[in-house]
Amino acid sequence: MTEITPLSEKDCFYLVDRIKIGFDYPLHQHDEFELNFVTNCEGARRIVGDSVEETGMFDLVLVGSNLEHTWEQHKCLSNNMREITIQFSPSLLSDNLLDKNQLVSFKSLFENAKAGIAFDTPCILKVYSRLDEITKIQQGFYRVLKLLEILFELSIDKNYRLLNPNRDSNSSSVGTSSNSRIQKIEDYIKQNYKDHLTLESLASIAGMSPTSFSRFFKEKTGRTVSDYIIDIRLGHATRKLANDKDPITEVCFDCGFNNISNFNRLFKRKKGCTPHEFRDNYRKNKIIV
């Protein structure tokens, strides 16, 4: 599943701090880097790319762009886990800045994040207080400084582990085909998600019959065409609910849905809450800097 995060080009990062009773988010990927910390999660299962591991009491990973990942309940018996997720754009620090002597460790960290990085317990304990602080700081500028401080401490730690050490940094993630035909269709859907998209029209663009195209798309992406379109539309709807004050009905139609009841039903099925509940919960617990 391709997730579209609430970040805009003018934002530095997205932060969410929550208490969870369980892991239920599906395997997904997004353009942004993700630093994810979980505590009280012993026995959960973390999947990052081809890596599948059982977590201990603490877990901290840095996931690079478009690397599929999720956490599953597995053997974890806890219903009181704290999760702090920070997502930021790969362009947060420019290449020119990363070439400076003082920031060379950042460059290495971000490059290694393409394979997924897991940090050991001593390193996690070293940055835990900073992770807690960043959720409480009120001024956005100081939050950015705190994030850079956290990333720097992680970048100079010598004990982190690559979760997919043999991964080609230029390869596509699991479930994403490099096939130009699929890429062409995915790009078309992302650019025209507001429009009425049919299996027949997409098959025509791919130069295939609808039946063959449907089978081909599922084989290459792991999802049906309709599920892929829904995920793209819900991603945009999520961003609008987080960032805009537009009425939910307007968000529904602006993101390509033509029925508010269907939009509410799909949103709840995919996100575990209604659009209204998501917007209320977002304002209480999420921060965009």
Side-chain angles (χ1 to χ4, degrees):
M1 181 177 100
T2 300
E3 179 188 10
I4 299 176
T5 69
L7 278 175
S8 74
E9 292 182 356
K10 294 185 177 181
D11 301 318
C12 289
F13 65 90
Y14 162 74
L15 181 150
V16 55
D17 177 18
R18 56 198 161 192
I19 301 298
K20 304 183 69 163
I21 61 172
F23 295 103
D24 56 9
Y25 205 78
L27 189 69
H28 64 287
Q29 64 187 53
H30 39 70
D31 292 338
E32 292 76 16
F33 281 77
E34 178 172 307
L35 182 66
N36 202 63
F37 165 78
V38 192
T39 185
N40 201 23
C41 59
E42 189 171 12
R45 178 162 54 197
R46 179 202 336 108
I47 301 173
V48 177
D50 296 328
S51 170
V52 180
E53 295 182 349
E54 192 171 296
T55 64
M57 185 60 67
F58 303 97
D59 194 55
L60 179 64
V61 299
L62 180 62
V63 179
S65 297
N66 295 313
L67 180 59
E68 289 199 336
H69 56 282
T70 192
W71 279 252
E72 299 177 343
Q73 198 67 20
H74 192 44
K75 299 176 184 177
C76 182
L77 301 177
S78 173
N79 60 1
N80 185 35
M81 295 167 284
R82 184 185 186 189
E83 183 177 52
I84 300 174
T85 302
I86 302 173
Q87 295 174 343
F88 58 95
S89 170
S91 61
L92 177 63
L93 298 176
S94 69
D95 290 339
N96 287 338
L97 193 59
L98 290 174
D99 283 335
K100 305 302 181 185
N101 290 331
Q102 292 80 7
L103 299 179
V104 66
S105 61
F106 280 80
K107 190 170 186 177
S108 178
L109 180 75
F110 294 162
E111 184 66 28
N112 285 331
K114 295 176 181 178
I117 298 173
F119 300 93
D120 63 7
T121 299
C123 179
I124 295 173
L125 294 177
K126 184 168 65 175
V127 300
Y128 172 74
S129 62
R130 294 181 173 93
L131 286 167
D132 187 54
E133 287 170 17
I134 199 172
T135 68
K136 299 173 181 176
I137 297 172
Q138 296 301 312
Q139 228 292 336
F141 174 76
Y142 293 111
R143 274 204 172 104
V144 174
L145 291 183
K146 184 60 66 174
L147 174 60
L148 294 178
E149 184 181 330
I150 291 168
L151 291 174
F152 177 72
E153 290 297 333
L154 295 177
S155 73
I156 61 175
D157 187 271
K158 304 302 180 183
N159 296 314
Y160 66 66
R161 200 164 41 80
L162 299 186
L163 295 173
N164 298 269
N166 298 318
R167 181 181 177 84
D168 179 357
S169 63
N170 295 315
S171 67
S172 299
S173 62
V174 177
T176 303
S177 173
S178 60
N179 186 285
S180 59
R181 184 178 288 175
I182 284 292
Q183 189 64 56
K184 181 179 180 181
I185 296 299
E186 289 181 337
D187 290 344
Y188 182 85
I189 293 172
K190 290 174 183 177
Q191 293 167 11
N192 298 278
Y193 67 92
K194 295 182 180 182
D195 300 332
H196 178 58
L197 300 173
T198 65
L199 177 63
E200 290 74 18
S201 64
L202 295 175
S204 177
I205 293 171
M208 303 172 72
S209 70
T211 301
S212 296
F213 173 69
S214 180
R215 184 169 56 249
F216 175 73
F217 192 91
K218 178 69 180 294
E219 177 186 336
K220 294 299 183 181
T221 68
R223 280 179 288 171
T224 65
V225 176
S226 60
D227 276 345
Y228 184 87
I229 294 172
I230 287 169
D231 286 339
I232 294 297
R233 287 172 173 167
L234 286 178
H236 285 281
T238 300
R239 177 178 289 181
K240 282 182 170 294
L241 289 168
N243 295 343
D244 301 341
K245 296 180 180 180
D246 297 335
I248 291 175
T249 301
E250 187 174 326
V251 171
C252 162
F253 291 109
D254 195 44
C255 291
F257 297 96
N258 57 13
N259 183 296
I260 186 64
S261 297
N262 188 47
F263 172 60
N264 286 331
R265 179 179 59 81
L266 289 170
F267 196 98
K268 186 166 186 177
R269 190 182 81 193
K270 295 276 189 176
K271 303 293 185 180
C273 61
T274 66
H276 187 272
E277 289 169 341
F278 173 84
R279 176 171 270 174
D280 284 348
N281 188 50
Y282 179 89
R283 288 170 176 169
K284 292 176 183 174
N285 300 311
K286 281 79 172 178
I287 301 163
I288 292 182
V289 179

